[in-house]
């Protein structure tokens, strides 16, 4: 099917020239369309048809067409940078030599001495000004260490009872009174005059002077206040010694050395006294002294028997080998008869010293724990460090006296030691030295 071209638009007559000359700026009047009964239908213009231009509208000028380059011009490039001429050196001007000035070098500052033990700036200084004090209802207790100590002294007690019963035969019918008096003598451990005699004659302690009491009593009040213990129930004593040490004796005695009192800051002195108070509170002091007292007759009898045996052995050796053999058989038969009659009880005495030493070491750890629980763990660790250094100096002195031969500690001596070693005690304090979460 052939597409016909669209009809051309109708042509309108030109406006009169007079109207164009009179008003060039007004649009020209267009002739009225003839009256027809119905407007003719014009076909729609094609979208590609160009709209008629107004005769008075000038056509806009077209922009000039400039030539465009498809590719930028290639400029010559150089791979090597241009060589720069060397910069001229500045002229050297004559300079006047300046005199050398030597400043005095200050001498190195001397290390500051550590604070004195009584200086409040010392890191282990504690305040002793306390107001109200809460006293605990339970002042003492008997822990497992004290009970174990008493049980271990039982074989010694039975041997002492045998010795006292043999001695009571001298008194005939009144011998049982002698045995009862010995059994009741254990109460003297808690008698104040007997304690004073024990501290003065056996432990070599003395009463403190007024100046020493002014040094000890504020620290002791702080220790007992933290523990909730009535401090006036105990007596403070001093030992004239240049070593760092302290002792808890009988039922009411706390003794410190002169070195500990004068050379330690009050915080470390409080740690030492809190350790000794732990022995009293736990029952270690009175149980050890009571066991030692009831074992004393057996100890004396053993020393007498050993001395007599030594004398008899030297006498038998003076005769001949036959005398030595006879003496050995006699002593062996007597020991066998004693062991058989006592159901092997004397054999336990051979192992008791090792068991007592182990219980004593445990008591020391419990006393350390008591002092650390009162807040003296850092101070107690410092005291243990000083004790360790003191022991090292003693070992070095003994080594030098032996010509440089080191002192070797035997396993038996370690088993019989009454105190734990430094590293063991410090290990048990770590729980109190570490910061709490």
């Amino acid at each position: 099917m052939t597409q016909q071209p669209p009809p051309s638009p109708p042509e309108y007559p030109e406006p009169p020239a007079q109207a164009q000359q009179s008003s060039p700026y007004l649009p020209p009047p267009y002739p009225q369309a003839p009256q027809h009964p119905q407007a003719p239908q014009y076909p729609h213009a094609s979208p590609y048809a160009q709209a008629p231009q107004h005769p008075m509208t000038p056509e806009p000028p077209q922009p000039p067409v400039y030539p465009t380059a498809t590719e930028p011009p290639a400029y010559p490039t150089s791979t090597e940078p241009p060589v720069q001429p060397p910069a001229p050196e500045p002229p050297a001007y004559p300079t006047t030599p300046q005199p050398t000035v030597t400043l005095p070098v200050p001498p190195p500052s001397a290390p500051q001495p550590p604070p004195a033990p009584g200086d409040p700036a010392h890191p282990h200084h504690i305040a002793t000004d306390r107001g109200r004090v809460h006293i605990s209802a339970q002042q003492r207790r008997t822990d497992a260490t004290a009970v174990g100590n008493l049980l271990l002294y039982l074989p010694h007690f039975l041997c002492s009872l045998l010795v006292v019963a043999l001695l009571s035969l001298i008194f005939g019918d009144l011998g049982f009174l002698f045995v009862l008096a010995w059994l009741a003598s254990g109460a003297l451990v808690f008698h104040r005059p007997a304690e004073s005699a024990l501290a003065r004659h056996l432990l070599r302690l003395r009463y403190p002077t007024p100046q020493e009491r002014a040094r000890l009593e504020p620290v002791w009040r702080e220790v007992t206040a933290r523990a909730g213990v009535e401090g006036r129930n105990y007596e403070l004593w001093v030992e004239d010694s240049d070593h760092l040490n302290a002792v808890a004796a009988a039922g009411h005695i706390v003794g410190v050395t002169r070195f500990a009192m004068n050379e330690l800051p009050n915080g470390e002195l409080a740690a030492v006294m809190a350790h000794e108070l732990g022995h009293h509170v736990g029952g270690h002091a009175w149980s050890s002294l009571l066991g030692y007292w009831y074992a004393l007759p057996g100890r004396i009898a053993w020393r007498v028997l050993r001395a007599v045996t030594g004398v008899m052995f030297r006498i038998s050796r003076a005769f001949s080998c036959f005398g030595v053999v006879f003496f050995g058989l006699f002593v062996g038969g007597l020991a066998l008869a004693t062991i058989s009659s006592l159901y092997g009880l004397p054999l336990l005495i051979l192992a008791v010293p090792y068991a007592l030493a182990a219980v004593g070491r445990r008591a020391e750890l419990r006393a350390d724990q008591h002092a650390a629980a009162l807040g003296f763990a850092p101070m107690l660790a410092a005291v243990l460090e000083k004790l360790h250094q003191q022991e090292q100096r003693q070992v070095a002195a003994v080594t030098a006296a032996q010509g440089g031969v080191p002192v070797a500690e035997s396993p038996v001596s370690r088993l019989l030691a009454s105190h734990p070693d430094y590293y063991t005690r410090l290990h048990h304090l770590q729980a109190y030295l570490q910061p709490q979460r």
Side-chain angles (χ1 to χ4, degrees):
M1 182 176 180
T2 304
Q3 185 177 1
Q4 295 181 359
S8 59
E11 297 180 359
Y12 296 95
E14 296 289 336
Q18 186 178 0
Q20 294 179 0
Q21 295 177 357
S22 62
S23 180
Y25 300 100
L26 296 177
Y30 293 95
Q32 298 291 332
Q35 299 293 330
H36 294 284
Q38 189 176 0
Q41 298 291 334
Y42 294 95
H44 293 284
S46 172
Y48 302 98
Q50 187 176 5
Q53 299 293 332
H54 197 275
M56 296 301 296
T57 304
E59 294 183 0
Q62 298 293 332
V65 178
Y66 295 95
T68 58
T70 57
E71 295 182 359
Y75 294 95
T77 58
S78 175
T79 57
E80 297 181 357
V83 179
Q84 298 291 338
E89 297 182 358
Y93 297 96
T95 57
T96 303
Q98 299 293 334
T100 303
V101 179
T102 304
L103 298 177
V105 179
S109 58
Q112 297 296 331
D119 191 354
H122 198 281
H124 290 164
H125 182 83
I126 60 174
T128 56
D129 300 332
R130 183 176 291 272
R132 298 180 59 184
V133 177
H134 172 72
I135 303 299
S136 177
Q138 184 182 5
Q139 294 289 295
R140 294 194 182 192
R141 63 182 185 274
T142 303
D143 57 15
T145 305
V147 175
N149 195 41
L150 290 176
L151 292 177
L152 289 175
Y153 271 112
L154 185 58
H156 291 280
F157 169 76
L158 295 177
C159 291
S160 298
L161 182 60
L162 177 62
V163 173
V164 172
L166 292 177
L167 292 177
S168 65
L169 298 177
I170 303 175
F171 300 96
D173 295 338
L174 299 179
F176 72 95
L177 295 178
F178 180 77
V179 176
L180 292 178
W182 175 73
L183 293 175
S185 64
L188 295 176
V189 174
F190 307 100
H191 187 51
R192 292 301 181 96
E195 288 183 359
S196 300
L198 172 67
R200 185 177 293 107
H201 298 290
L202 294 182
L203 301 178
R204 306 298 180 184
L205 302 178
R206 61 172 176 82
Y207 282 112
T209 63
Q211 294 80 9
E212 294 171 343
R213 188 173 295 277
R215 164 72 172 165
L216 294 175
E217 286 186 349
V219 180
W220 179 245
R221 283 198 301 267
E222 176 65 22
V223 171
T224 55
R226 294 191 184 190
V229 173
E230 179 58 57
R232 292 174 294 184
N233 292 337
Y234 298 89
E235 296 182 2
L236 300 178
W237 292 66
V238 177
E239 179 185 357
D240 291 322
S241 174
D242 294 333
H243 297 280
L244 177 57
N245 196 10
V247 62
H252 309 89
I253 292 178
V254 174
V256 296
T257 60
R258 185 178 61 247
F259 176 88
M261 179 181 56
N262 296 329
E263 300 299 330
L264 296 181
N266 64 347
E268 297 180 9
L269 179 60
V272 172
M273 302 176 80
H275 173 89
E276 303 305 329
L277 179 62
H279 285 307
H280 281 298
V281 171
H284 310 154
W286 68 264
S287 64
S288 298
L289 183 58
L290 193 63
Y292 178 83
W293 174 256
Y294 282 121
L296 190 59
R299 292 176 182 270
I300 295 176
W302 170 251
R303 291 180 180 178
V304 172
L305 181 60
R306 189 173 58 180
V308 171
T309 305
V311 172
M312 293 179 63
F313 178 76
R314 285 193 294 269
I315 294 175
S316 62
R317 191 176 57 180
F319 289 95
S320 62
C321 295
F322 177 76
V324 175
V325 173
F326 175 77
F327 177 76
L329 293 176
F330 173 76
V331 173
L334 182 61
L336 182 60
T338 304
I339 294 174
S340 301
S341 60
L342 296 178
Y343 302 99
L345 185 61
L347 295 178
L348 295 177
I349 300 178
L350 301 177
V352 165
Y354 300 96
L356 286 175
V359 173
R361 292 192 295 269
R362 184 61 184 174
E364 295 296 329
L365 294 178
R366 285 183 176 270
D368 288 348
Q369 182 181 1
H370 178 268
L374 297 182
F376 299 113
M379 298 80 167
L380 185 58
V383 173
L384 294 178
E385 175 66 25
K386 294 178 181 179
L387 282 173
H388 181 62
Q389 294 177 359
Q390 178 178 317
E391 294 174 357
Q392 293 296 322
R393 288 193 295 268
Q394 292 177 356
V395 172
V398 174
T399 303
Q402 294 181 356
V405 179
V407 179
E409 187 179 8
S410 62
V412 176
S413 62
R414 286 196 296 266
L415 292 176
L416 292 176
S418 60
H419 287 67
D421 60 280
Y422 164 71
Y423 300 101
T424 301
R425 300 179 72 174
L426 193 63
H427 172 73
H428 283 81
L429 286 179
Q430 290 302 315
Y432 299 92
L433 295 175
Q434 296 176 354
Q436 301 294 330
R437 294 184 179 180

